[in-house]
Amino acid sequence: MDAELAALATAGATALVQQMVTEGWTQARQRVAAFLSRRRDGGEEEALEGELELSRTELVASQRSGDDDGAADVAAEWRVRLRRALRDDPAAAEELRRLLAELRPDEGAGTEVGEVHNTISGGVQHGTVIQAGVVSGLNLGGGTGTGAGEGSARG
């Protein structure tokens, strides 16, 4: 398999794992299952959706427990499966590129942050304070605040 297809499989697995913890997961799961099912002459779409959902459950559990290896294993599993699909059907590369564009339509858009001004006043803050231009899916496990999900802040 050439390097371009291997990189495409890696990008696909990365996008898939990122989608597993978003609101768009159901649609992404269906689209990826359909893509993989077509590589196998169809008929396995429901089973593939089940496998994807199981991977999502494993990913979320790994993230909650701080098991980075478990999360990496989920990505590795789907990278291998995507590589096999591309190896068996090189024409699938263009379809996977389109699927990635749909899964990550805003990639590169909205990531530039303008000037950000944050002011905290009034003494001691009893909780987490975040200063950033863009915040997505935070895990505020430390401190007295509570958070939902995993993610990063840029600013």
Side-chain angles (χ1 to χ4, degrees):
M1 170 175 283
D2 70 24
E4 181 182 351
L5 292 181
L8 180 59
T10 299
T14 300
L16 177 61
V17 169
Q18 289 171 346
Q19 286 293 313
M20 287 180 177
V21 293
T22 68
E23 290 179 17
W25 168 238
T26 300
Q27 181 181 7
R29 182 189 67 218
Q30 292 168 344
R31 297 293 316 269
V32 171
F35 168 81
L36 290 169
S37 178
R38 282 190 289 280
R39 310 285 79 74
R40 300 178 180 179
D41 299 322
E44 297 182 28
E45 198 167 329
E46 190 174 315
L48 285 163
E49 282 192 44
E51 293 172 31
L52 286 159
E53 193 59 38
L54 179 61
S55 290
R56 179 187 182 276
T57 300
E58 292 171 359
L59 175 68
V60 170
S62 294
Q63 288 180 336
R64 285 187 180 149
S65 68
D67 179 10
D68 293 336
D69 290 336
D73 288 347
V74 171
E77 174 187 354
W78 290 101
R79 183 180 63 247
V80 168
R81 292 180 79 163
L82 289 171
R83 284 183 70 168
R84 285 183 188 143
L86 294 172
R87 180 195 63 211
D88 295 345
D89 181 10
E94 188 54 40
E95 184 181 353
L96 182 55
R97 284 185 191 96
R98 285 191 308 269
L99 178 57
L100 287 174
E102 291 174 24
L103 292 179
R104 300 184 298 183
D106 297 328
E107 186 174 282
T111 56
E112 288 193 30
V113 177
E115 202 169 324
V116 176
H117 297 279
N118 295 293
T119 303
I120 299 173
S121 62
V124 178
Q125 303 300 314
H126 298 282
T128 303
V129 176
I130 301 168
Q131 293 185 275
V134 176
V135 179
S136 64
L138 289 178
N139 177 7
L140 304 176
T144 60
T146 59
E150 297 282 331
S152 62
R154 296 185 302 269

